[in-house]
Amino acid sequence: MPGTRLLLLLLLLLFGGGLAPGAADDDGAAAGRCTYSFTVASPGEAGCPEAGDGRELRAELAALAARLSLLESREAGAAAPAQSPRVQSARPSTPAACGDLLRAVSRLEEDKGRLEREKEELRRRLESSARELARLRAARCPPRARGSPRDALHGSGQASPWDPQTIDYQELKSARMEVPASHLLEETAPGRPDAEDSGCGELVWVGEPVVFGQADSIAGKYGVWMKDPEPVPPFTRATTWRVDTVGTEVRQLFQYDDAEQFSKGYPAKVHILPRALESTGAVVFRGGLYFQQRRSRLLAKYDLQGEAIAVEKEIPGAGYHGQYPYSWGGYTDIDLAVDETGLWVIYSTEKAKGAIVLSKLDPETLEIQRTWETNIRKQSVANAFIICGVLYTISSYTVPNATVNFSYDTATGTSRPLSIPFENRYQYVSMVDYNPAERQLFAWDSFHMVAYPVRLARA
Ligand code: CA
């Protein structure tokens, strides 16, 4: 067998499993010289432009191909200095020719061993580069927008599955909670309404917070999480919503189908809100996300099924963007709330001189139906929620043993001091909302999404 073809065969055997496809130029072989070229299947670098390691890898492969060609060229020159490969292929007829052939075979054996080592090294580099490419893409590729910018503004109109593999949102790294959700439901059962305690009443007790989810990125230091007390299909009472509100351009609304998904931090879908949301005052009610738009006193209802803004309305005179926040700050000037009677907004105005103002809203039009002005200074309390038409405030967002310290009853127009223990377990409560269907307080306490069972007493 001619040295050239033997080498070619060896090379093909060596590289047949590791690189694809390999090719040898037959025309070149017929002329006594083979040219090798290799291509390597890219690990999907098309989606990300920074695959510098992929270029490096290809450069290495090209260099190796050149070395192989050079090797073949030298071998061909040594084995057949004066004869064509076809003549060389004839049976050797002299001892000298036999000696040349044996030496050529010996060199080929040595080359084979060296090529095997190079091949192994190449495979190792290929695997390493593939891993590095995957890591770079996960770390640097921007999140893939769902549809066109127009879709982002107006909604795609259909529920598309969320593929966590394509997104590297830090929110996807949320830690799994320590206790299975089924245990949590049992533990919080005493706080749920039952036949004995299903009606409205006065808040008399707040239980210990139970962790339902946890964020492990700075984006989730504060935020808002919600369930719709009156869900509209296809959503259910189990559908859970979350917005991480750290940052100036907050538009991502995470949708989770159930408690387990929520606890794992893997959303079923991410909605991109057409308008940026400000602060932690949003609520979900009757199929809509109600929220305050960034740097404005405009409220918006985002239709969760239609994925578009259904209605917008300004709250006349409402302070915003740091004018009348809660003591925590965080632009908590305008706080929405839901209770057994419907949708509310908690805010203040210049006319009220920073005292809490309450307005009942029409959920369809966002028109104000009625307004109450309290004597509770908004910046002196950490947060507020409404149960059965009564506003309650929390004394501190950071001390561990805080209290529910005031109430204001819209039925009588009177307020009174209270001292119901409220535990700030993680000492940074940025949002508190009452959920009348769950009969719990939902709160966001320094990366932790917690719920507090409550008890109401009939007056
Ligand atoms: Ca609130």
Side-chain angles (χ1 to χ4, degrees):
M1 179 178 285
T4 299
R5 294 194 180 275
L6 178 58
L7 177 60
L8 172 60
L9 179 60
L10 285 170
L11 291 172
L12 289 175
L13 287 172
L14 283 170
F15 286 90
L19 301 171
D25 183 334
D26 286 341
D27 292 334
R33 179 185 175 83
C34 295
T35 301
Y36 297 95
S37 62
F38 301 89
T39 57
V40 180
S42 164
E45 64 207 65
C48 198
E50 81 294 339
D53 291 288
R55 288 191 294 274
E56 185 180 324
L57 179 62
R58 283 195 294 275
E60 285 183 17
L61 291 171
L64 180 61
R67 288 204 300 276
L68 293 176
S69 293
L70 180 62
L71 171 69
E72 188 277 337
S73 174
R74 285 176 179 169
E75 196 286 323
Q83 295 174 304
S84 72
R86 190 170 300 282
V87 174
Q88 180 70 17
S89 68
R91 180 181 291 271
S93 56
T94 66
C98 270
D100 287 346
L101 188 56
L102 285 172
R103 281 191 292 278
V105 169
S106 175
R107 281 196 298 274
L108 284 172
E109 289 292 335
E110 290 172 13
D111 289 338
K112 178 186 174 187
R114 184 170 57 77
L115 287 169
E116 278 178 343
R117 290 191 294 277
E118 286 194 17
K119 176 188 168 190
E120 193 53 42
E121 171 68 7
L122 193 63
R123 273 190 175 152
R124 191 188 63 74
R125 289 187 188 178
L126 181 63
E127 288 172 7
S128 172
S129 294
R131 282 196 300 272
E132 182 64 9
L133 278 173
R135 189 189 67 76
L136 287 170
R137 292 188 67 215
R140 297 184 194 169
C141 278
R144 291 181 188 176
R146 295 249 161 226
S148 66
R150 188 178 180 280
D151 287 339
L153 284 173
H154 301 286
S156 63
Q158 64 176 19
S160 50
W162 173 249
D163 178 11
Q165 297 299 323
T166 65
I167 305 294
D168 66 325
Y169 291 131
Q170 292 178 333
E171 290 74 18
L172 295 185
K173 298 172 187 168
S174 295
R176 188 194 236 285
M177 58 195 224
E178 294 173 1
V179 185
S182 57
H183 290 199
L184 294 171
L185 291 175
E186 288 168 15
E187 286 170 13
T188 56
R192 288 165 170 268
D194 54 33
E196 190 65 31
D197 184 23
S198 58
C200 265
E202 180 183 308
L203 179 70
V204 293
W205 174 83
V206 178
E208 291 186 1
V210 177
V211 177
F212 279 79
Q214 187 175 342
D216 69 353
S217 78
I218 187 62
K221 179 170 173 58
Y222 45 87
V224 53
W225 76 286
M226 306 151 278
K227 285 185 184 178
D228 192 337
E230 298 180 29
V232 175
F235 309 111
T236 71
R237 285 269 301 275
T239 311
T240 307
W241 305 88
R242 164 180 167 180
V243 182
D244 293 0
T245 57
V246 176
T248 55
E249 193 69 16
V250 178
R251 288 175 180 265
Q252 293 173 350
L253 170 67
F254 296 91
Q255 173 191 328
Y256 305 88
D257 290 340
D258 53 41
E260 188 178 1
Q261 253 184 21
F262 181 67
S263 71
K264 289 177 177 173
Y266 292 115
K269 183 169 183 174
V270 178
H271 298 247
I272 306 299
L273 298 174
R275 315 261 189 279
L277 167 155
E278 188 158 79
S279 199
T280 59
V283 295
V284 174
F285 184 55
R286 294 181 187 169
L289 173 82
Y290 294 85
F291 66 97
Q292 178 213 337
Q293 295 180 30
R294 182 167 178 261
R295 284 182 178 271
S296 82
R297 54 174 66 95
L298 272 172
L299 293 183
K301 176 190 177 184
Y302 171 78
D303 186 85
L304 297 166
Q305 169 76 345
E307 300 184 20
I309 298 291
V311 59
E312 296 178 295
K313 200 81 181 177
E314 193 173 277
I315 304 297
Y320 63 93
H321 205 67
Q323 197 175 357
Y324 302 117
Y326 292 127
S327 58
W328 169 60
Y331 305 135
T332 48
D333 301 68
I334 296 177
D335 187 15
L336 288 144
V338 173
D339 75 348
E340 291 79 354
T341 70
L343 182 66
W344 301 79
V345 60
I346 305 165
Y347 59 102
S348 189
T349 63
E350 210 166 301
K351 177 173 163 289
K353 300 185 177 67
I356 288 179
V357 176
L358 272 178
S359 292
K360 191 77 183 294
L361 298 175
D362 181 330
E364 294 299 319
T365 63
L366 289 175
E367 294 277 357
I368 291 178
Q369 297 174 324
R370 189 176 168 187
T371 293
W372 292 259
E373 192 175 307
T374 76
N375 58 353
I376 305 167
R377 191 165 163 264
K378 191 158 182 287
Q379 281 183 279
S380 72
V381 297
N383 217 303
F385 54 90
I386 298 174
I387 302 177
C388 300
V390 178
L391 174 90
Y392 296 91
T393 63
I394 292 168
S395 64
S396 169
Y397 66 93
T398 185
V399 302
N401 302 312
T403 57
V404 177
N405 62 346
F406 289 106
S407 68
Y408 178 88
D409 189 342
T410 56
T412 61
T414 57
S415 63
R416 67 189 183 98
L418 297 173
S419 189
I420 300 169
F422 181 92
E423 180 187 347
N424 285 322
R425 179 163 295 176
Y426 305 99
Q427 300 177 34
Y428 199 78
V429 169
S430 54
M431 157 249 163
V432 182
D433 266 344
Y434 173 64
N435 185 303
E438 304 292 320
R439 190 149 290 188
Q440 296 183 69
L441 297 176
F442 285 23
W444 195 297
D445 188 357
S446 187
F447 301 99
H448 297 82
M449 289 139 255
V450 301
Y452 299 75
V454 299
R455 283 198 195 122
L456 307 181
R458 291 194 180 88

